[in-house]
Amino acid sequence: MYVTLPGIYAQAEAIDFKIQYYRKLMDSVTAIAHPNIAFIKYWGNREDEFRIPSNGSISMNLSSLETRTSISLDAGLPADQITINGEIAKERDAERIRNFLEIIRRQSGISTYARLSTSNNFPTGSGIASSASGFAALALAGSKAYGLSLNEPALSRLARKGSGSACRSIPAGFVEWLPGKDDTDSFAVSLASPDHWQLVDLVAIVNAGQKKISSTEGHHLASTSPLQSARVMDTDRRLTICREAIMERDLNLLAVIVEQDCLMMHAVMMTSSPALMYWLPATLEVIQAVVHIRSEGIPAFYTIDAGANVHVLTTIEFVPDIEVKLRAIASVSTVLISPAGGPARLVTSDLKF
Ligand code: DP6
């Protein structure tokens, strides 16, 4: 066959294009992280920029729910390209993610922009905080993509700068955020692995809409409540009891302290200026149902984050019974069920050739 010089150039160009394409695929890093439910809540910062919390907190990762984030660097991009659940990110979300990528870029010394796609396997707007799993997955995938090799505390510190509770989605299972005094010593550690205790979270969804006041705005208001300083001062007591209840697998002890901690945080919210009222009538209905379920001898307790939905916790054998009871409440639209989950992790099977 007769081959012309332009033909050879065209073929070389096509091969080069393919190499570039596969290199981009190869450089794509994917990570998965779970959201977490706080037993002892984080509410209020001592320092806002780095999210150094006013108090320590304890949580459990939720294995059935996850955020999956893929990221690849592309020297040809004029700006970061961000998709969330298959759609181009809204400006508010995009800005928060871009600011976080800037932190990683500064840390790595690489200024290249990134193509990022993130999705949740739980219904969007279901009222489950996706910022914890979102920034945990992004911290892991992003740091790897920019060539950083961070150990668990360093990753947890990085995730914290995206969203405070995200630092607790880095380690496995039952997790404590050591508040620290500054950026260097404020990170989360695992207290126990997910298989330590077959505790299950049933999230009774009573409002699938987006909350009007974000947690970030709420943290700023915490200090305006006269109750916040008393809540913060009492934290060591609650943390000690919570830690002991988890280590001893003592559901009754955990129930008392988690419900008290939840009500203390919501008391602070309700007495802030302006007041924050996240509850709906249906929230109280589920709380009362849980108290009733317990009076029938079924071990269960509730906790509520910055929203109206109620997390009901119990051990695995009581899940079917409690699920039926929660679904019977007219204002409960659905129930998401999740045992304790593992750490944030990289997914390598995404590299396809
Ligand atoms: C009520 O971690 O969502 O869920 O750092 O501003 O993103 P930002 O706040 P966020 O706050 C969580 C508040 C909470 C309690 C908790 O998870 O500890």
Side-chain angles (χ1 to χ4, degrees):
M1 205 177 83
Y2 190 71
V3 185
T4 60
L5 206 55
I8 291 173
Y9 280 134
Q11 272 186 24
E13 229 171 86
I15 291 168
D16 186 53
F17 178 80
K18 273 191 188 151
I19 290 172
Q20 296 300 338
Y21 175 75
Y22 284 117
R23 183 166 290 155
K24 268 175 200 162
L25 266 188
M26 242 176 87
D27 286 344
S28 165
V29 181
T30 300
I32 285 177
H34 304 290
N36 63 73
I37 177 62
F39 293 160
I40 302 297
K41 311 285 187 190
Y42 150 52
W43 198 246
N45 287 324
R46 265 178 45 192
E47 196 280 321
D48 277 328
E49 190 193 347
F50 292 119
R51 292 183 157 86
I52 310 303
S54 305
N55 63 276
S57 51
I58 293 180
S59 59
M60 179 180 102
N61 287 347
L62 301 176
S63 75
S64 319
L65 314 177
E66 63 182 38
T67 298
R68 175 183 281 253
T69 299
S70 297
I71 178 165
S72 57
L73 308 198
D74 186 340
L77 286 177
D80 293 315
Q81 226 177 59
I82 302 165
T83 19
I84 301 180
N85 294 325
E87 286 174 16
I88 296 186
K90 292 192 192 83
E91 186 43 35
R92 213 172 76 143
D93 297 332
E95 192 191 350
R96 191 166 172 184
I97 293 170
R98 277 197 306 266
N99 290 343
F100 187 71
L101 288 172
E102 270 317 313
I103 296 173
I104 299 180
R105 281 193 274 264
R106 271 202 303 277
Q107 217 164 314
S108 69
I110 300 172
S111 56
T112 311
Y113 289 116
R115 186 169 288 116
L116 184 151
S117 104
T118 184
S119 56
N120 299 322
N121 77 343
F122 44 99
T124 303
S126 65
I128 304 297
S130 53
S131 67
S133 49
F135 281 99
L138 181 53
L140 180 54
S143 59
K144 271 274 176 255
Y146 278 90
L148 296 169
S149 191
L150 304 181
N151 62 16
E152 192 177 276
L155 256 183
S156 177
R157 287 175 46 219
L158 175 61
R160 186 195 74 235
K161 293 172 201 167
S163 175
S165 54
C167 77
R168 296 190 311 238
S169 284
I170 297 290
F174 300 84
V175 175
E176 178 164 1
W177 179 0
L178 310 169
K181 54 177 178 3
D182 58 33
D183 183 34
T184 60
D185 59 358
S186 184
F187 58 86
V189 294
S190 181
L191 291 173
S193 67
D195 54 12
H196 165 72
W197 193 9
Q198 291 191 310
L199 207 59
V200 178
D201 185 5
L202 297 97
V203 196
I205 305 293
V206 299
N207 177 23
Q210 290 276 346
K211 58 191 173 206
K212 288 194 184 73
I213 307 285
S214 70
S215 300
T216 306
E217 292 166 271
H219 290 298
H220 293 150
L221 294 178
S223 62
T224 65
S225 164
L227 305 185
Q228 171 72 346
S229 56
R231 179 189 156 275
V232 169
M233 269 172 58
D234 178 64
T235 307
D236 282 346
R237 180 189 69 87
R238 301 194 306 285
L239 288 172
T240 304
I241 296 173
C242 184
R243 245 180 257 126
E244 186 193 328
I246 290 171
M247 298 327 285
E248 301 297 322
R249 302 183 190 89
D250 185 337
L251 195 121
N252 293 333
L253 185 61
L254 191 61
V256 172
I257 203 65
V258 171
E259 290 187 356
Q260 187 185 48
D261 182 87
C262 163
L263 296 175
M264 285 171 86
M265 180 185 72
H266 283 273
V268 167
M269 292 164 162
M270 290 174 197
T271 51
S272 293
S273 306
L276 293 178
M277 171 60 81
Y278 285 107
W279 294 8
L280 292 173
T283 310
L284 207 47
E285 226 181 305
V286 180
I287 290 178
Q288 283 172 335
V290 173
V291 173
H292 182 72
I293 287 169
R294 206 161 44 219
S295 74
E296 291 176 326
I298 302 172
F301 61 91
Y302 64 82
T303 188
I304 304 151
D305 277 343
N309 301 314
V310 186
H311 293 250
V312 182
L313 287 115
T314 188
T315 43
I316 194 156
E317 61 272 36
F318 300 103
V319 171
D321 202 1
I322 295 180
E323 185 187 0
V324 168
K325 290 182 195 303
L326 291 176
R327 286 191 187 276
I329 301 170
S331 47
V332 172
S333 58
T334 190
V335 178
L336 307 175
I337 299 177
S338 184
R345 63 188 190 279
L346 288 168
V347 180
T348 44
S349 58
D350 265 24
L351 305 180
K352 13 181 168 27
F353 287 96

